[in-house]
């Protein structure tokens, strides 16, 4: 995106949270994304934005990245097609070789198997985030004693949370954050789960 405002850009809604009042749109040509705030929708009256909603809008470059500054038209998203129900598989019965097909074969003695070593399950990591791409979330908790906390990303349903500590806050120019506070951050996956590299207040 250039420094000048771009007009009549075709985009689709990536996600939008009405309770938070903002979301993101993805450019139709695949060149990037832009931030969308609810104040841009005020002049349009009662509108509902869902994933896949088409937009024709104006985009402006700001210190915080590309943002939608005006919307000219809205095209509702196509309804999702229902997946056909899968028929349950029928279990095939093996007939004994020769003789009466109704005869029941004696069960073979169960083989003694050595127990397999228990495999430690590692927590699923957050989707890898390219350097500089900010993710929005809410502080689940921050403990002043341990000087660490967790962030719940808005677009993540695993419930794992993203870890951060006071050192990360200080590197981001913050001293403390409150429970329930909205933030945006950059995170990377790790052995114990995703970890924030930078945290900013929204």
């Amino acid at each position: 995106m250039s420094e000048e405002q771009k007009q009549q850009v075709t985009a689709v809604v990536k996600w939008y949270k009405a309770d938070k009042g903002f979301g993101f749109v993805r450019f139709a040509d695949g060149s990037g994304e832009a931030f969308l705030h609810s104040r841009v929708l005020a002049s349009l009256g009662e509108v509902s934005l869902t994933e896949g909603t088409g937009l024709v809008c104006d985009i402006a470059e700001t210190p915080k990245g590309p943002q939608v500054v005006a919307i000219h038209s809205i095209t509702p998203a196509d309804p999702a097609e229902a997946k056909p129900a899968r028929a349950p598989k029928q279990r095939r019965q093996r007939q004994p070789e020769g003789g009466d097909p109704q005869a029941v074969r004696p069960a073979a003695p169960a083989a003694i198997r050595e127990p397999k070593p228990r495999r430690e399950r590692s927590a699923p990591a957050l989707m890898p985030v390219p350097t500089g791409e900010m993710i929005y979330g809410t502080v689940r908790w921050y403990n002043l004693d341990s000087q660490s906390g967790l962030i719940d990303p808005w677009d993540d349903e695993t419930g794992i949370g993203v870890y951060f500590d006071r050192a990360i806050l200080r590197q981001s120019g913050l001293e403390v954050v409150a429970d329930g506070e909205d933030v945006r951050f950059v995170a990377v996956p790790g052995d114990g789960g995703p970890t924030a590299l930078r945290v900013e207040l929204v």
Side-chain angles (χ1 to χ4, degrees), residues 124 126 140 149-153 156 158-163 185 192-195:
L126 194 68
R140 184 190 304 178
L150 285 179
I151 301 172
D152 289 323
D156 179 68
T158 62
I160 302 170
V162 178
Y163 174 84
F185 59 93
T195 302

Side-chain angles (χ1 to χ4, degrees), residues 163-185:
Y163 174 84
F164 69 98
D165 56 23
R166 190 176 183 185
I168 298 300
L169 292 181
R170 286 184 170 180
Q171 292 175 8
S172 305
L174 300 174
E175 284 297 326
V176 68
V177 290
D179 296 357
E181 201 160 24
D182 291 336
V183 295
R184 64 178 190 168
F185 59 93

Side-chain angles (χ1 to χ4, degrees), residues 7-12 25-30 54-59:
Q7 300 181 346
Q8 302 291 329
V9 176
T10 303
V12 294
V25 301
R26 182 184 296 111
F27 303 138
D29 61 4
L55 303 175
V56 176
C57 53
D58 294 345
I59 306 295

Side-chain angles (χ1 to χ4, degrees), residues 11-184:
V12 294
V13 175
K14 179 179 180 182
W15 60 265
Y16 182 81
K17 291 186 178 292
D19 56 338
K20 298 293 183 180
F22 55 89
F24 276 89
V25 301
R26 182 184 296 111
F27 303 138
D29 61 4
S31 61
E33 300 176 353
F35 179 78
L36 171 62
H37 196 276
S38 59
R39 62 175 174 269
V40 181
L41 303 173
S43 62
L44 303 177
E46 294 293 331
V47 295
S48 177
L49 297 183
T50 59
E51 180 180 352
T53 300
L55 303 175
V56 176
C57 53
D58 294 345
I59 306 295
E61 187 71 23
T62 72
K64 293 185 177 180
Q67 292 191 17
V68 178
V69 294
I71 295 178
H72 301 290
S73 66
I74 297 178
T75 304
D78 295 332
E81 296 182 359
K83 295 182 178 180
R86 181 178 296 179
K89 294 182 178 180
Q90 295 183 353
R91 188 175 180 180
R92 297 178 60 185
Q93 296 183 351
R94 186 176 180 182
Q95 295 183 355
E97 298 177 359
D100 187 358
Q102 300 297 327
V104 179
R105 297 182 62 183
I112 300 176
R113 297 181 180 179
E114 297 182 358
K116 295 182 179 180
R118 186 175 181 180
R119 180 181 299 174
E120 296 183 359
R121 295 181 59 188
S122 58
L126 194 68
M127 181 175 61
V129 180
T131 302
E133 182 176 341
M134 305 299 288
I135 298 176
Y136 284 80
T138 301
V139 176
R140 184 190 304 178
W141 56 264
Y142 180 70
N143 191 313
L144 292 176
D145 294 331
S146 64
Q147 297 185 352
S148 61
L150 285 179
I151 301 172
D152 289 323
W154 292 351
D155 55 355
D156 179 68
E157 299 179 354
T158 62
I160 302 170
V162 178
Y163 174 84
F164 69 98
D165 56 23
R166 190 176 183 185
I168 298 300
L169 292 181
R170 286 184 170 180
Q171 292 175 8
S172 305
L174 300 174
E175 284 297 326
V176 68
V177 290
D179 296 357
E181 201 160 24
D182 291 336
V183 295
R184 64 178 190 168

